[in-house]
Amino acid sequence: MIYQWVLGGIVSFLLGFLLLDGSRGKRVKSGAGEDLMEKMKGECFKSSGNGECRLGFGVSTDVIVVGAGVAGSALAHTLAKDGLIVRLIERDLSQPDRIVGELLQPGGYLKLIELGLEDCVNEIDAQRVLGYALYKDGKSARLSYPLEQFHADVAGRSFHNGRFVQRMREKAASLPNVKMEQGTVTSLIEEKGTIKGVQYRTKAGEELRAYAPLTIVCDGCFSNLRRSLCNPKVDVPSCFVGLVLENCQLPHANHGHVVLADPSPILFYPISSSEIRCLVDVPGQKVPSIASGEMAHYLKTVVAPQIPTELHTAFISAIDKGNVKTMPNRSMPASPYPTPGALLMGDAFNMRHPLTGGGMTVALSDIVVLRDLLKPLHNLNDAAALCKYLEAFYTLRKPVASTINTLAGALYKVFCASPDQARKEMREACFDYLSLGGNFSNGPVALLSGLNPRPLSLVLHFFAVAVYGVGRLLLPFPSPQRMWIGARLVWGAAGIIFPIIKAEGVRQMFFPVTVPAYYRSPPIH
């Protein structure tokens, strides 16, 4: 009898211990802002003396992800789903309030599905986007995404950026092997040329260190860590002035609207069932002052007369409300330093003009490429071999990234007004070419949407626009002046696209199979 009691007590103790230990690994679905931070806080366990931060009970971290925006959150979820232990460190876990990152192209939505994150566009009042409407000098053309071969759910999505980011964070934090915490990463920890982890400051001001075989930096366009991992050549061609229009309907429902205005384009797209985002592009790095009223005057006198009449009243009302925000538009070609133990992703790594809304599509595509590269690896501890292997990432990402980057830069330059007659003709030719419909619009729109990431197709369509413009000039009767303008038009088109292609890398962009890194195989051990 006593023997049974003793044996029962031992079994009960062991079961209780196992249940208690198992409960430590469970995660609670998190909410927004402070609730998200509190629920995912799960205090780190520090070894005495060195401030090293570990996931708990000696469990080491496989990957540190710096930044929990769209790229960082999606990456953390993707790697954790494949079994890696991920520490996700974000400077501010409250809901972001941004005026960009609000339009996900259909190609990006397909990548979202591939990553198992498509439900992140649910419950945030996201709007389906089926194409674009172009406006120029009183004329308009509607360009639809070529979605006939896809499932009915496939389309673009537009939304409040902050709501989408919070859903992505919640999705990442729902996995038991993701440790999300709020902290500001101040530096990368380097030993003998290899990145070993990060040093960061918690919300309480405590300085900590975290270590992992691989650190992936996704801290956005204002990254303070990228300089040690790449050669950043950041260009700021313009700024966006953002407003939210209420109580109005777009002329073409479920379409983004692009007005080819003077001096540069104006964008409209829905971000909820009752709100329309307006982005006014202002060339250069300086915008009119908001505080002095100069901005309101500029918007009312220069911009308002050029927008569709259906939106005019709501546009003026939005200006009068005064909730005007600005943001510099940055472009930066990917120029990484392959560094053992570290990798750049997202806007910290590569940026393009946001006119075409391609940033999130590129980031999600990059995550798919990286996931497929890391999946066959059993461990990440050989930093040198891993770095050599991951050089393939920079080549394999090129078809999608270079197509969207090049198109964004080229379209912005073509869509901006210019006093030069050849540039005027190119702009007019582009609008008329897209207005032709059929393959003349489907081809470029498929490129823009990420559905057909083929750089050669992009170049062919771009010069087809130039040839179309020359044909318009020479018919029905060519003249020396028109021939001269036509020659300058072709020369100008080359001057727009070739520098962008050069920055992207001609060989990687058009002949990736000739790059040795394309064939890298996983490290044996």
Side-chain angles (χ1 to χ4, degrees), residues 258-516:
V258 183
V259 181
L260 304 190
D262 187 358
S264 53
I266 305 165
L267 308 181
F268 297 93
Y269 51 88
I271 54 174
S272 74
S273 54
S274 60
E275 298 167 299
I276 294 170
R277 169 68 72 194
C278 171
L279 294 175
V280 178
D281 185 85
V282 178
Q285 300 182 24
K286 186 178 179 181
V287 298
S289 169
I290 296 175
S292 69
E294 186 182 354
M295 175 67 78
H297 178 74
Y298 174 82
L299 294 173
K300 288 181 178 180
T301 58
V302 176
V303 177
Q306 302 185 73
I307 68 172
T309 55
E310 298 93 329
L311 303 173
H312 190 272
T313 302
F315 183 76
I316 297 298
S317 178
I319 298 169
D320 292 337
K321 283 185 178 179
N323 189 21
V324 179
K325 297 181 179 179
T326 64
M327 182 169 182
N329 293 326
R330 297 167 173 246
S331 63
M332 184 185 78
S335 183
Y337 303 139
T339 305
L343 199 67
L344 277 169
M345 296 281 284
D347 281 352
F349 173 49
N350 182 207
M351 295 181 283
R352 76 291 309 149
H353 196 284
L355 172 70
T356 57
M360 290 188 289
T361 300
V362 172
L364 294 170
S365 175
D366 284 355
I367 291 168
V368 170
V369 172
L370 183 62
R371 177 201 63 183
D372 293 343
L373 285 171
L374 293 179
K375 189 170 283 188
L377 303 185
H378 298 296
N379 72 71
L380 309 176
N381 292 312
D382 188 338
L386 180 63
C387 178
K388 192 76 173 173
Y389 170 60
L390 289 182
E391 286 180 10
F393 166 74
Y394 303 120
T395 300
L396 294 172
R397 69 181 292 271
K398 276 296 176 180
V400 175
S402 62
T403 300
I404 292 174
N405 293 345
T406 305
L407 184 60
L411 265 188
Y412 177 71
K413 291 184 178 180
V414 171
F415 280 179
C416 284
S418 171
D420 180 72
Q421 187 60 39
R423 289 285 296 273
K424 285 182 179 179
E425 292 291 340
M426 183 68 177
R427 192 184 194 214
E428 186 71 32
C430 185
F431 179 86
D432 289 347
Y433 181 88
L434 294 172
S435 301
L436 292 173
N439 191 50
F440 300 104
S441 64
N442 287 344
V445 172
L447 293 164
L448 180 149
S449 62
L451 295 172
N452 179 30
R454 296 181 182 176
L456 184 58
S457 179
L458 165 62
V459 173
L460 291 175
H461 275 289
F462 190 78
F463 280 101
V465 171
V467 171
Y468 178 75
V470 172
R472 282 161 29 96
L473 283 167
L474 299 184
L475 295 176
F477 302 108
S479 67
Q481 183 183 10
R482 286 174 170 266
M483 292 174 66
W484 172 241
I485 293 173
R488 287 176 48 224
L489 190 157
V490 174
W491 182 258
I496 288 173
I497 199 168
F498 285 151
I500 303 173
I501 291 173
K502 182 182 178 182
E504 288 292 320
V506 175
R507 188 180 177 189
Q508 286 183 315
M509 187 170 173
F510 294 100
F511 312 105
V513 294
T514 68
V515 179

Side-chain angles (χ1 to χ4, degrees), residues 50-341:
N50 64 1
E52 179 179 341
C53 194
R54 299 189 180 277
L55 202 63
F57 293 119
V59 178
S60 61
T61 303
D62 294 313
V63 180
I64 295 170
V65 177
V66 181
V70 172
S73 299
L75 179 64
H77 177 270
T78 300
L79 298 183
K81 200 167 66 169
D82 284 347
L84 296 175
I85 298 173
V86 180
R87 177 181 294 281
L88 181 57
I89 305 173
E90 163 60 32
R91 180 183 60 83
D92 184 1
L93 284 173
S94 61
Q95 182 167 303
D97 183 14
R98 304 180 65 206
I99 63 171
V100 292
E102 297 174 322
L103 178 61
L104 180 66
Q105 296 287 359
Y109 184 69
L110 287 172
K111 297 299 179 184
L112 211 61
I113 293 173
E114 195 171 344
L115 296 171
L117 293 167
E118 67 272 20
D119 58 341
C120 290
V121 299
N122 299 337
E123 301 175 14
I124 59 172
D125 200 14
Q127 303 297 298
R128 286 169 58 85
V129 179
L130 303 176
Y132 285 90
L134 287 184
Y135 287 80
K136 183 181 184 296
D137 300 332
K139 300 180 294 183
S140 66
R142 190 165 74 170
L143 315 174
S144 297
Y145 293 134
L147 299 172
E148 296 80 11
Q149 298 179 358
F150 298 94
H151 186 273
D153 184 53
V154 176
R157 293 293 193 281
S158 54
F159 37 67
H160 281 272
N161 171 267
R163 296 176 186 174
F164 182 59
V165 168
Q166 289 302 92
R167 287 281 289 162
M168 299 280 273
R169 290 173 178 174
E170 290 170 12
K171 189 82 171 180
S174 69
L175 297 179
N177 47 335
V178 172
K179 167 67 166 62
M180 180 185 292
E181 60 185 307
Q182 183 163 305
T184 302
V185 175
T186 53
S187 62
L188 301 174
I189 301 170
E190 182 181 347
E191 294 179 11
K192 298 179 181 179
T194 299
I195 302 300
K196 298 292 187 178
V198 299
Q199 181 164 327
Y200 67 102
R201 185 171 54 253
T202 67
K203 188 178 180 182
E206 187 178 8
E207 294 284 345
L208 298 176
R209 290 187 170 195
Y211 294 90
L214 181 60
T215 298
I216 304 179
V217 177
C218 309
D219 57 345
C221 61
F222 300 105
S223 172
N224 65 335
L225 302 175
R226 68 159 70 101
R227 288 192 175 277
S228 59
L229 301 175
C230 74
N231 178 25
K233 297 178 180 177
V234 180
D235 181 35
V236 184
S238 67
C239 297
F240 267 156
V241 178
L243 307 96
V244 175
L245 278 58
E246 299 174 328
N247 303 317
C248 65
Q249 296 293 325
L250 288 167
H252 300 275
N254 300 108
H255 282 67
H257 290 54
V258 183
V259 181
L260 304 190
D262 187 358
S264 53
I266 305 165
L267 308 181
F268 297 93
Y269 51 88
I271 54 174
S272 74
S273 54
S274 60
E275 298 167 299
I276 294 170
R277 169 68 72 194
C278 171
L279 294 175
V280 178
D281 185 85
V282 178
Q285 300 182 24
K286 186 178 179 181
V287 298
S289 169
I290 296 175
S292 69
E294 186 182 354
M295 175 67 78
H297 178 74
Y298 174 82
L299 294 173
K300 288 181 178 180
T301 58
V302 176
V303 177
Q306 302 185 73
I307 68 172
T309 55
E310 298 93 329
L311 303 173
H312 190 272
T313 302
F315 183 76
I316 297 298
S317 178
I319 298 169
D320 292 337
K321 283 185 178 179
N323 189 21
V324 179
K325 297 181 179 179
T326 64
M327 182 169 182
N329 293 326
R330 297 167 173 246
S331 63
M332 184 185 78
S335 183
Y337 303 139
T339 305

Side-chain angles (χ1 to χ4, degrees), residues 3-20:
Y3 170 80
Q4 290 176 337
W5 289 347
V6 172
L7 182 61
I10 293 172
V11 171
S12 300
F13 173 78
L14 290 173
L15 285 173
F17 177 79
L18 289 172
L19 287 171
L20 178 64

